[in-house]
Amino acid sequence: MLHIMTCEDDVEDARQLARALGSCHILHDVDYQVESFRTARQLLLNYEAAHCDILFLDILIGDGDGISVARKIRDLNADVPIVFVTSSRDYAIDSYDVNAVHYLMKPVTPQAVDEALKRCQRVIHDKHRTIKVMSGRMTERVLARDVMYAETFGHRVTLHLRGRDLDTTTPLAKIAEEGGDPFLRCHRSFVVNMDYVTAVHGKSFMMADGSEVPIRTNGSAQVIAAYHAYLFDSVRKL
C-alpha cells in the first residue's frame, strides 16, 4: 500500500491535486491511499503516527510556510520524498535545502503529477539501493545512502558510514559503480557520496561529518565540475 499525504489549505487547489492524483497513469495499477490535510498543524499532529511514503506540500500553507514545515518533517523522517506545490518559483533554492524531490506549479495537471511521482519512485528505489561488500570472510550489504565516502589503503577499502566505519576488500571502483549517481571518484584513493559534501575548499571536499577528502591534482577541474553539475541537476529537477 502506497500512502500519499497532501497538505493544501486552498479548497479548489486541494480538489485539483486530488483529481490529478486520481488521473495519474503511474497509480493505475498501484494499491494506494491519499490522506489530505488543510493545515500544517493537522499534518504535523498526524504525521508521527502515520506511515507516509510521499508528501505533497503547499509551500504557502495558511498557518505556516511550507519550508519550515518540511524542516520539521525532515526531523521526523529524513527520507520521505517531498513534492512542493505552489504558484511561485521564488522558493526553489530553499526547497533544495530540505531535499525536495520536485516543485509543482499550480494549477497542477495529471501529467505534472505523474512526473513528480516518477521522481519519487526513483528516490524510494535509491533509498533501498545497496552495495555488496566483502568484510573478512562475510558478505555484507550496506545502504548506499549511508556511505559518506570511501578510501583505499593498498588492498583494503574503508567505508565511512553514518555512525561507523567498515573495512572491506571490495575494490573502490566497484563501490563507486554500485553507489549510483551520487558517488564520485574524486581521487585515486577516494570516492565521495556527493549528498554529504558541504563545500569545496581548495583541492578538497568538506564532508558533513567534518572530514576533508582530497581531490586529485590532475583533473581537479573536471572533478569539481562534475560535483557542480550534480548540484545543478538536483536543483533543475525541482
Side-chain angles (χ1 to χ4, degrees), residues 89 92-93 95-96 100-103 115 119 122 228-238:
R89 288 193 177 275
I93 298 300
S95 63
Y96 176 72
V101 172
H102 199 46
Y103 203 89
E115 177 59 30
R119 293 182 181 179
R122 289 195 291 269
H228 287 154
Y230 178 77
L231 287 184
F232 178 78
D233 190 54
S234 298
V235 175
R236 182 180 60 81
K237 288 177 179 178
L238 295 175

Side-chain angles (χ1 to χ4, degrees), residues 163-176:
R164 67 183 179 113
D165 291 343
L166 176 67
D167 289 335
T168 176
T169 54
T170 302
L172 205 61
K174 186 173 186 294
I175 291 168

Side-chain angles (χ1 to χ4, degrees), residues 69-85:
V69 174
R71 290 195 178 104
K72 292 177 182 178
I73 293 293
R74 282 283 171 255
D75 290 338
L76 301 171
N77 186 336
D79 302 311
V80 62
I82 296 176
V83 177
F84 281 120
V85 186

Side-chain angles (χ1 to χ4, degrees), residues 144-208:
R145 63 189 175 93
D146 285 344
V147 179
M148 292 186 288
Y149 66 98
E151 58 182 315
T152 183
F153 303 92
H155 296 293
R156 188 190 72 189
V157 172
T158 299
L159 298 180
H160 297 276
L161 308 168
R162 294 192 296 185
R164 67 183 179 113
D165 291 343
L166 176 67
D167 289 335
T168 176
T169 54
T170 302
L172 205 61
K174 186 173 186 294
I175 291 168
E177 179 184 355
E178 292 193 6
D181 291 341
F183 281 56
L184 175 64
R185 185 74 177 264
C186 61
H187 187 279
R188 64 178 296 180
S189 300
F190 287 87
V191 165
V192 293
N193 182 339
M194 291 184 283
D195 290 334
Y196 288 97
V197 173
T198 59
V200 180
H201 186 263
K203 294 292 181 68
S204 299
F205 284 126
M206 306 306 297
M207 307 303 295

Side-chain angles (χ1 to χ4, degrees), residues 12-47:
E12 184 53 36
D13 287 340
R15 287 173 179 164
Q16 286 181 337
L17 179 56
R19 286 195 295 266
L21 284 167
S23 301
C24 281
H25 295 296
I26 200 170
L27 294 177
H28 280 180
D29 298 319
V30 176
D31 187 17
Y32 74 97
Q33 66 179 49
V34 178
E35 188 172 6
S36 300
F37 300 95
R38 293 287 302 279
T39 68
R41 183 175 181 275
Q42 288 177 339
L43 171 67
L44 293 170
L45 283 175
N46 287 275
Y47 190 87

